[in-house]
Amino acid sequence: MSFEKRKMDGASVFDRRAFFRFAGTLAAASWMPLNTWADESPANPQAGWPLTVKFPEKGDLLLQSDRPPNLESPLHVFRDDITPNENFYVRWHLGILPTKVDTATFRLTIAGHVDVPLSVSVDDLKRNFEAVSMIAVNQCSGNSRSLYEPRMPGVQWGSGAMGNAKWTGVRLRDLLAKTGVKPGAVDVSFNGLDEPVLPAAPGFAGTPDFVKSLPFARANDGEVMVAYEMNGQPLPMLNGFPLRLIVPGWYATYWVKALNQIEVLDKPFDGFWVAKAYRVPNTPDFQEAPKALAKDTVPISRMTVRSLFVRPEPAEKVLADVEYEVQGLAMDSGRGMKTVEISLDGGNTWTDAKLDPELGKYSWRRWRFAWKPPAGRHQLKVRATNLAGETQTQAQWNRSGYARNVIESLEVNVG
Ligand SMILES: Nc1nc2c(c(=O)[nH]1)N[C@H]1C(S)=C(S)[C@@H](COP(=O)(O)O)O[C@H]1N2
Ligand SMILES: [Mo]
């Protein structure tokens, strides 16, 4: 199936019919394997995943669902410090996605509690505002959800709902300054071009539009960006072409894609996707028990500290008595990594792994550990601690499978 995205007079054309024809073929092909997988519940979903798919502008990704597209990066992608655009995971909530955006007519508007509402094209942003770049991890709140026990509903991600990219765009603070925000701003809300198939309306329980908000202080901190480039290229359509919000250090749910409406609010935002969804227990490590759910919840925000194994891969053969470089990634909300430690004895003793140079405080950081294992079955554990003293937990569970910060284990067969 061929698929085309062409550039004409600055307009990006993404053929909607071809897109859904393509996705439709996948739907038929994927039904059985997905059911089979769900029934089997392999210990490592990535290893057992049967179906890789290619969506427009994307390389091979693991299919979680196709309407809307939820596509996971396979583990080998994380051998690169920067996740290539075509291998970057995809997550959407609503049924109607932008598959074609004409940048000649596209405008981002900023309105609400401001003196001068703003309406800007992508070219205006490039011409009239200072460009800034930042490497930052984008991680879904539900990344690694399938690793929790007991399982919970939601996209059954392995650990590939994350990626690290260099984002280029403008500071949201500069845009807000241009509008002259009035005193008393509380929140700022963000909406994109995607829409629910059956929108919620008074008296009708449809799907609420995907609108997110940030406290004004966060929105105006000079770090939050409106990005028009990802790794030096226009954003792929599925990652939010032509503009997306970047909220470094916070979960990707706030990184609104295909961003076209910003509103400054003089009272707290009460939209569904902040007031009702994407919330975590107001407890240490966002813990709660399946039979004693927390009463008090708060909107998810900063990322927890975590570290993951990248190699060996779960099914990889490692040779006995030969030095092998175990490798992985560590990340947090931007406090900076202090140590990453490895345990070879079930968590009794820990040895420092070596950290690669930092690529920026919001980037993930690669760690390496030289290992010369004897033959047999081994269990490795990895634990990260950041400069603020935040570290990982032995066990963690919450009803939504959000903000995982469990010390990960890896079983390795050496022979
Ligand atoms: N417009 C819009 N933006 C969105 C979403 C969405 O459904 N619509 N999903 C959010 C969530 S929950 C995640 S995890 C990230 C995923 O970003 P990606 O698809 O570029 O990987 O987009 C965020 N931005
Ligand atoms: Mo997400």
Side-chain angles (χ1 to χ4, degrees):
M1 183 101 18
S2 77
F3 191 88
E4 264 184 281
K5 179 186 179 188
R6 276 163 292 151
K7 289 253 165 190
M8 301 188 313
D9 305 317
S12 175
V13 177
F14 196 82
D15 183 319
R16 190 183 177 84
R17 282 207 347 267
F19 185 97
F20 284 111
R21 232 185 294 126
F22 182 87
T25 313
L26 287 172
S30 67
W31 185 248
M32 284 310 292
L34 276 177
N35 278 344
T36 307
W37 173 79
D39 289 340
E40 284 174 2
S41 300
N44 188 308
Q46 291 203 344
W49 196 269
L51 200 74
T52 56
V53 291
K54 264 200 176 70
F55 267 62
E57 303 177 285
K58 291 285 169 182
D60 285 343
L61 291 170
L62 306 172
L63 184 71
Q64 288 282 2
S65 70
D66 61 4
R67 287 190 189 197
N70 285 311
L71 314 172
E72 176 163 348
S73 300
L75 188 57
H76 65 81
V77 165
F78 304 133
R79 293 182 180 200
D80 286 330
D81 287 331
I82 297 293
T83 313
N85 292 1
E86 64 268 25
N87 300 126
F88 206 98
Y89 84 104
V90 172
R91 203 272 182 263
W92 292 91
H93 293 74
L94 308 179
I96 302 177
L97 305 187
T99 55
K100 174 179 175 172
V101 177
D102 181 353
T103 48
T105 54
F106 172 88
R107 295 291 181 274
L108 167 66
T109 59
I110 306 182
H113 196 60
V114 300
D115 284 331
V116 192
L118 204 65
S119 172
V120 286
S121 67
V122 178
D123 274 352
D124 292 335
L125 290 181
K126 291 181 180 172
R127 261 199 291 267
N128 302 329
F129 295 87
E130 186 187 343
V132 287
S133 289
M134 174 195 298
I135 298 176
V137 175
N138 164 309
Q139 183 185 201
C140 178
S141 319
N143 191 27
S144 310
R145 177 179 290 126
S146 68
L147 306 183
Y148 284 105
E149 194 56 52
R151 303 277 280 253
M152 64 284 289
V155 180
Q156 295 300 306
W157 299 113
S159 295
M162 60 176 193
N164 197 40
K166 181 181 174 187
W167 311 96
T168 300
V170 303
R171 295 181 195 91
L172 179 56
R173 185 175 66 193
D174 295 348
L175 298 179
L176 291 171
K178 194 93 170 185
T179 64
V181 174
K182 291 179 177 161
V186 175
D187 282 344
V188 183
S189 72
F190 304 90
N191 193 5
L193 295 168
D194 50 332
E195 285 169 25
V197 177
L198 295 172
F204 176 72
T207 308
D209 195 5
F210 191 81
V211 186
K212 297 291 294 189
S213 71
L214 293 174
F216 180 77
R218 175 82 239 234
N220 200 42
D221 71 357
E223 289 192 323
V224 171
M225 291 168 56
V226 173
Y228 44 73
E229 272 181 15
M230 178 174 173
N231 297 328
Q233 298 292 321
L235 298 156
M237 191 68 56
L238 288 169
N239 298 108
F241 182 88
L243 298 175
R244 89 174 298 172
L245 196 69
I246 305 299
V247 188
W250 283 29
Y251 283 100
T253 182
Y254 294 98
W255 299 37
V256 173
K257 300 191 280 188
L259 174 67
N260 72 328
Q261 288 175 344
I262 298 178
E263 199 178 343
V264 180
L265 304 169
D266 63 358
K267 41 175 131 20
F269 179 72
D270 64 357
F272 176 86
W273 297 99
V274 175
K276 295 278 192 293
Y278 282 101
R279 299 178 72 86
V280 283
N282 191 9
T283 57
D285 295 313
F286 313 123
Q287 299 261 23
E288 63 187 340
K291 289 194 173 137
L293 298 181
K295 297 232 161 47
D296 189 20
T297 64
V298 292
I300 197 170
S301 59
R302 289 201 302 129
M303 287 195 279
T304 54
V305 182
R306 67 180 308 197
S307 51
L308 304 101
F309 292 96
V310 170
R311 69 186 291 259
E313 297 218 3
E316 193 177 323
K317 278 257 173 301
V318 172
L319 294 178
D321 307 314
V322 178
E323 192 169 294
Y324 182 94
E325 188 185 70
V326 181
Q327 229 187 72
L329 299 167
M331 59 205 170
D332 74 338
S333 63
R335 303 295 198 259
M337 215 43 70
K338 184 169 163 234
T339 54
V340 171
E341 300 160 291
I342 303 293
S343 177
L344 303 170
D345 59 7
N348 287 322
T349 60
W350 295 88
T351 311
D352 278 2
K354 241 181 96 211
L355 290 170
D356 275 10
E358 198 189 81
L359 298 173
K361 63 181 189 163
Y362 295 110
S363 168
W364 62 33
R365 198 155 168 193
R366 191 166 302 274
W367 55 263
R368 300 164 194 271
F369 181 78
W371 188 40
K372 200 168 170 182
R377 273 189 79 75
H378 298 265
Q379 189 199 50
L380 280 66
K381 285 178 179 286
V382 63
R383 174 176 78 186
T385 304
N386 72 7
L387 292 166
E390 297 166 341
T391 187
Q392 300 190 246
T393 57
Q394 294 292 342
Q396 178 209 34
W397 189 93
N398 57 62
R399 74 196 86 169
S400 307
Y402 285 157
R404 183 176 175 87
N405 75 338
V406 178
I407 295 169
E408 306 291 356
S409 299
L410 179 69
E411 310 292 328
V412 188
N413 257 323
V414 177

